Amino acid sequence: MANELMNRFDLDPFFDRMAHRFFSPSDFDKDYENFGSLKTDINETDKDYSLKIDVPGVDKNNIHLNYQDGVLSLNINQEHTSEQKDENGKVIASERSHGVMSRSYSLPGVDRDNISAHIDNGVLNVTLPKVTESEDKSGNIDIQ
């Protein structure tokens, strides 16, 4: 009977993951390693910075962007709930997950009022136009 029980765990992804997480915390860490990485491509031109950030399955309402003091901050707070029911409507499985991701990008000299962002096929596209020298609001005064 014990062998049958252990064989069941080897075939069941839920119990298999649970056993790996319990007995080997490093495997647990690897499961979530890719979750919080927020893979990003950054391109810079003379006129702007352009970021493409992978956010598959994330609702745009759960993404928060902030630009302050030359740093773009990205925070994602995502919750997911699912239920499986049998043919009589009884719940046979209920799963919940919650994930928080954040990342900061140092991008100085940006025209904060003209930053734009949109999501397309699981990719967050952010464009940060650079300020021109005449728009520089640093308060520095050149001495002649």
Side-chain angles (χ1 to χ4, degrees), residues 15-16 34 37 42 46 58 69 80 123 139-140 142:
F15 289 107
D16 189 43
N34 291 331
S37 65
I42 302 175
D46 293 338
V58 177
D69 298 326
H80 178 71
V123 177
N140 292 332
D142 293 331

Side-chain angles (χ1 to χ4, degrees), residues 1-11:
M1 176 149 162
N3 285 339
E4 288 177 23
L5 186 60
M6 290 308 291
N7 286 339
R8 180 178 182 270
F9 289 163
D10 287 338
L11 298 175

Side-chain angles (χ1 to χ4, degrees), residues 1-81:
M1 176 149 162
N3 285 339
E4 288 177 23
L5 186 60
M6 290 308 291
N7 286 339
R8 180 178 182 270
F9 289 163
D10 287 338
L11 298 175
D12 187 343
F14 172 76
F15 289 107
D16 189 43
R17 282 192 307 269
M18 184 175 71
H20 282 293
R21 290 176 184 165
F22 181 75
F23 292 110
S24 179
S26 63
D27 285 346
F28 175 76
D29 294 337
K30 289 177 187 174
D31 286 345
Y32 289 92
E33 188 175 286
N34 291 331
F35 177 71
S37 65
L38 291 171
K39 293 181 180 15
T40 306
D41 294 329
I42 302 175
N43 292 314
E44 179 180 8
T45 66
D46 293 338
K47 296 182 181 183
D48 61 21
Y49 297 102
S50 176
L51 284 78
K52 291 185 178 194
I53 306 163
D54 291 345
V55 291
V58 177
D59 186 289
K60 74 176 187 176
N61 295 322
N62 295 329
I63 300 173
H64 306 284
L65 288 171
N66 182 33
Y67 184 82
Q68 186 173 349
D69 298 326
V71 176
L72 177 70
S73 299
L74 169 66
N75 296 299
I76 298 174
N77 191 346
Q78 180 91 353
E79 293 186 27
H80 178 71
T81 304

